[in-house]
């Protein structure tokens, strides 16, 4: 829990330092133990060699009681600094010669020597501690006459203190080396942590920038896992930027389904256009310009907001695209950028629902004291050029072409014929099997030299007349 408070570099250093420290400490302990065991083994062999050598050459001196010869041998061997004492006893445990002259002639009691005993061949090893707590090794070698009869024994006391002193001196050097290795290791770990953490910090900064609405690209050339992570981050940032661009361009104008379609294919959001077939819908409030001259600005905005809110909701319900607001008029597109098999039907159903909703709004406005007004809807299906126009900083998705102009002209005919919803012949041909519509006499429109055929929409045949409950604001209206 405490480590959560520290940054990644500190955690990395702590981990590497701990592992390095444990490894070096373990190596130090193992090395010290191996060194101690090796020196102990060497000292034991040396003590056994000295003891066996004295035993071999002291046979005649013991038999002849030549104390001078015995003392000469043990004093010569006593020059080894690791030897504590040497003495020779006969079979009755009488001390014949001793490096401590005061002990000569006394009786030796083997039971006084307590410790861990070990036998190697004919030699007995006893590990014990003296009164000062210093560990020592007693080597007892029998003196054999003619290789068979025991005539005495050689006792060599060997101190382990020189061994420990040698090990201690070596340990000082090892500790110094460990300290140096630890410093070098920590420095290397810090450099490695810096190399690893630096791009991670840049990634953290990049993620933070994304949460703030920016989509940076991190420049770093590396073929390792960090480089792959940075590359994936850059790809993610580009994708998010493209999706955000789509959201900004379309979130206020299209339904969630259309927006999701763009998000799944960001490459479609590019400058330029393509030829495609679409159904275009125009709707506006009839004579609204003259009406607005007699209303307060706030009242004009109030009526338009009510009307536009209903229109936009219906367009998105039928998965059309809101192209633009033109004064009190609205232009919508069905069939691009998201295509359905029944885009013409969706457009006409949207127009019917717009008219139904408008009748409810008109009743509401009349109760509020506004004069009665009507709307007109014009629909046409044909080839258009669809795409994003503008700049990379500000894009607008739209359609252009004669089919768009024709839909606008058809919508204007509603005023001439006192109708609400008119559709072109191209739209009607796709729906004649399911749509009831009344043909009007061929008529001319501005921009066309030939007469065109339009139809007044009555309704879809498959739909029986029914009561609909429409909730608006705090009031509920029944549409028959």
């Amino acid at each position: 829990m405490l480590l959560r408070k520290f940054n990644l570099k500190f955690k990395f250093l702590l981990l590497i330092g701990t592992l390095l420290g444990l490894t070096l400490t373990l190596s130090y302990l193992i090395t010290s133990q191996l060194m101690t065991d090796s020196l102990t083994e060497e000292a034991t062999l040396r003590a056994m060699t000295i003891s066996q050598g004295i035993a071999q050459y002291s046979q005649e001196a013991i038999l002849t009681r030549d104390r001078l010869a015995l003392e000469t041998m043990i004093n010569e061997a006593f020059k080894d600094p690791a030897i504590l004492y040497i003495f020779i006893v006969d079979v009755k445990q009488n001390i014949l010669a001793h490096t401590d002259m005061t002990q000569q002639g006394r009786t030796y009691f083997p039971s006084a020597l307590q410790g861990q005993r070990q036998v190697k061949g004919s030699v007995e090893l006893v590990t014990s501690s003296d009164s000062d707590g210093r560990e020592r090794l007693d080597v007892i070698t029998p003196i054999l006459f003619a290789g068979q009869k025991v005539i005495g024994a050689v006792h060599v006391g060997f101190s382990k203190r020189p061994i420990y002193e040698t090990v201690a001196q070596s340990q000082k050097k090892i500790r110094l080396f460990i300290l140096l290795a630890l410093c070098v290791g920590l420095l290397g770990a810090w450099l490695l942590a810096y190399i690893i953490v630096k791009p991670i910090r840049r990634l953290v900064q990049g993620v933070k920038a994304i949460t703030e609405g920016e989509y940076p690209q991190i420049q770093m050339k590396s073929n390792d896992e960090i480089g792959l992570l940075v590359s994936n981050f850059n790809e993610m940032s580009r994708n998010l930027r493209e999706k955000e661009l789509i959201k900004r361009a379309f979130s206020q104008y299209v339904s969630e389904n259309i927006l999701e379609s763009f998000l799944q294919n960001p490459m479609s959001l590019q400058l330029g256009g393509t030829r495609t077939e679409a159904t275009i819908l125009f709707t506006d409030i009839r004579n609204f310009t003259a009406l607005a001259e007699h209303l307060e600005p706030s009242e004009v905005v109030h009526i338009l907001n009510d009307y536009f809110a209903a229109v936009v909701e219906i367009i998105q319900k039928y998965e059309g695209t809101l192209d633009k607001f033109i004064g009190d008029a609205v232009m919508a597109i069905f069939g691009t950028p998201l295509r359905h098999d029944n885009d013409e039907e969706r457009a006409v159903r949207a127009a019917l629902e717009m008219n139904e909703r408008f009748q409810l709004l008109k009743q509401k406005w009349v109760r509020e004291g506004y004069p009665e007004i009507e709307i007109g809807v014009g629909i046409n299906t044909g080839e258009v050029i669809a795409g994003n126009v503008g700049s990379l900083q500000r894009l607008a998705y739209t359609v252009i072409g004669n089919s768009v102009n024709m839909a606008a002209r058809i919508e204007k005919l509603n005023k001439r014929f006192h109708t609400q919803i008119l559709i072109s012949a191209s739209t009607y041909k796709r729906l004649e099997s399911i749509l009831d519509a009344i043909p009007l006499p061929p008529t001319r429109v501005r921009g066309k030299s030939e007469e065109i055929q339009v139809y007044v929409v009555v309704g879809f045949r498959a739909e029986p007349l029914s009561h609909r409950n429409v909730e608006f604001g705090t009031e509920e209206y029944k549409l028959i």
Side-chain angles (χ1 to χ4, degrees):
M1 298 295 291
L2 184 61
L3 289 178
R4 294 180 182 178
K5 300 179 180 179
F6 301 102
N7 58 32
L8 185 60
K9 183 185 290 186
F10 177 82
K11 294 177 181 177
F12 191 85
L13 283 175
L14 182 62
L15 175 62
I16 296 298
T18 301
L19 292 176
L20 185 60
L22 290 175
T23 301
L24 292 175
T25 301
L26 184 61
S27 300
Y28 168 79
L29 295 175
I30 293 175
T31 301
S32 298
Q33 187 60 46
L34 290 175
M35 186 182 300
T36 301
D37 293 344
S38 177
L39 291 175
T40 300
E41 182 68 20
E42 181 184 345
T44 301
L45 290 175
R46 191 163 78 250
M48 290 175 62
T49 301
I50 293 173
S51 178
Q52 289 172 342
I54 295 175
Q56 182 179 356
Y57 294 104
S58 62
Q59 300 174 19
E60 184 178 350
I62 291 177
L63 293 174
T64 60
R65 298 288 177 169
D66 188 350
R67 294 180 180 272
L68 180 59
L70 295 175
E71 290 176 359
T72 301
M73 281 189 288
I74 65 176
N75 287 330
E76 186 66 26
F78 191 59
K79 292 179 180 179
D80 191 321
I83 295 178
L84 297 174
Y85 56 82
I86 302 175
F87 63 91
I88 301 173
V89 297
D90 57 17
V91 292
K92 296 181 178 180
Q93 301 300 321
N94 294 317
I95 299 176
L96 302 177
H98 201 298
T99 51
D100 183 2
M101 299 297 292
T102 61
Q103 300 297 321
Q104 290 187 17
R106 294 185 178 182
T107 301
Y108 172 69
F109 298 97
S111 59
L113 184 60
Q114 301 294 327
Q116 183 179 356
R117 295 179 179 272
Q118 181 182 5
V119 178
K120 286 189 176 183
S122 61
V123 179
E124 183 180 8
L125 306 177
V126 182
T127 303
S128 60
S129 300
D130 57 19
S131 58
D132 296 331
R134 293 177 298 181
E135 190 174 351
R136 73 186 185 197
L137 177 66
D138 289 275
V139 181
I140 306 172
T141 304
I143 303 173
L144 303 176
F145 177 72
Q148 296 179 353
K149 185 179 180 181
V150 178
I151 60 175
V154 179
H155 292 249
V156 178
F158 205 89
S159 175
K160 289 189 176 182
R161 183 174 182 179
I163 296 176
Y164 297 136
E165 290 177 348
T166 302
V167 172
Q169 292 176 358
S170 299
Q171 286 177 335
K172 289 181 180 179
K173 296 178 181 179
I174 294 174
R175 285 195 293 268
L176 182 61
F177 172 79
I178 288 176
L179 181 61
L180 180 62
L182 187 60
C183 292
V184 173
L186 288 176
L187 178 61
W190 184 88
L191 292 175
L192 183 60
Y194 176 79
I195 294 173
I196 294 176
V197 171
K198 183 178 180 181
I200 293 178
R201 284 183 174 175
R202 294 177 64 184
L203 285 172
V204 171
Q205 293 171 354
V207 172
K208 183 179 179 181
I210 288 178
T211 61
E212 295 174 352
E214 299 178 5
Y215 304 94
Q217 293 290 299
I218 298 176
Q219 303 299 325
M220 192 187 83
K221 295 181 179 180
S222 177
N223 296 324
D224 58 14
E225 288 77 2
I226 297 296
L228 179 61
L229 182 61
V230 171
S231 177
N232 290 336
F233 172 84
N234 289 336
E235 181 68 21
M236 179 193 70
S237 180
R238 283 192 294 269
N239 291 339
L240 289 175
R241 182 180 182 277
E242 292 170 353
K243 290 182 179 181
E244 182 63 25
L245 191 60
I246 294 173
K247 287 183 178 180
R248 291 178 182 178
F250 290 94
S251 61
Q252 299 180 12
Y253 307 105
V254 298
S255 66
E256 289 294 330
N257 292 336
I258 295 178
L259 184 56
E260 185 63 27
S261 174
F262 268 129
L263 294 179
Q264 293 176 0
N265 184 23
M267 295 303 296
S268 64
L269 189 62
Q270 297 177 350
L271 287 173
T274 58
R275 291 186 180 275
T276 185
E277 186 178 84
T279 299
I280 297 90
L281 180 152
F282 274 91
T283 178
D284 76 344
I285 301 176
R286 201 172 301 164
N287 297 322
F288 186 77
T289 302
L291 176 64
E293 293 178 356
H294 300 87
L295 297 175
E296 294 294 329
S298 59
E299 295 175 323
V300 174
V301 172
H302 170 64
I303 293 174
L304 287 178
N305 284 343
D306 284 349
Y307 172 61
F308 287 157
V311 169
V312 171
E313 177 187 339
I314 294 169
I315 292 172
Q316 293 188 351
K317 174 183 176 180
Y318 290 95
E319 297 187 348
T321 301
L322 175 64
D323 185 274
K324 61 176 68 71
F325 296 109
I326 311 170
D328 61 303
V330 177
M331 173 181 168
I333 314 164
F334 294 83
T336 184
L338 184 64
R339 179 172 295 280
H340 304 86
D341 294 335
N342 61 341
D343 287 307
E344 300 83 4
E345 180 184 349
R346 289 171 180 268
V348 175
R349 288 187 183 279
L352 289 169
E353 189 167 333
M354 287 178 191
N355 188 51
E356 292 172 357
R357 184 74 67 84
F358 183 80
Q359 300 307 316
L360 299 177
L361 288 173
K362 185 172 68 173
Q363 296 175 22
K364 171 178 174 289
W365 292 330
V366 169
R367 287 196 301 272
E368 293 175 352
Y370 299 112
E372 289 192 16
I373 52 179
E374 297 293 338
I375 65 166
V377 181
I379 299 174
N380 180 43
T381 302
E383 185 181 78
V384 297
I385 298 175
N388 299 293
V389 296
S391 66
L392 291 176
Q393 286 72 35
R394 184 175 180 83
L395 291 175
Y397 187 86
T398 190
V399 293
I400 57 176
N402 290 331
S403 297
V404 179
N405 298 332
M406 180 60 68
R409 302 288 185 267
I410 293 173
E411 187 277 320
K412 296 299 181 183
L413 292 178
N414 283 292
K415 184 177 181 181
R416 182 190 304 179
F417 292 112
H418 302 286
T419 54
Q420 278 75 44
I421 304 174
L422 293 176
I423 62 175
S424 67
S426 60
T427 302
Y428 177 71
K429 285 180 181 180
R430 291 167 170 79
L431 300 174
E432 59 182 343
S433 62
I434 61 173
L435 182 68
D436 285 328
I438 301 172
L440 295 177
T443 184
R444 293 183 181 276
V445 294
R446 184 165 58 89
K448 283 286 184 180
S449 58
E450 299 177 356
E451 294 181 336
I452 64 170
Q453 178 71 59
V454 294
Y455 295 80
V456 180
V457 174
V458 177
F460 285 92
R461 294 170 191 163
E463 291 184 349
L465 292 177
S466 60
H467 292 279
R468 294 186 183 181
N469 292 329
V470 180
E471 186 173 335
F472 191 91
T474 57
E475 301 182 43
E476 189 177 74
Y477 302 88
K478 182 173 286 187
L479 177 63
I480 301 176

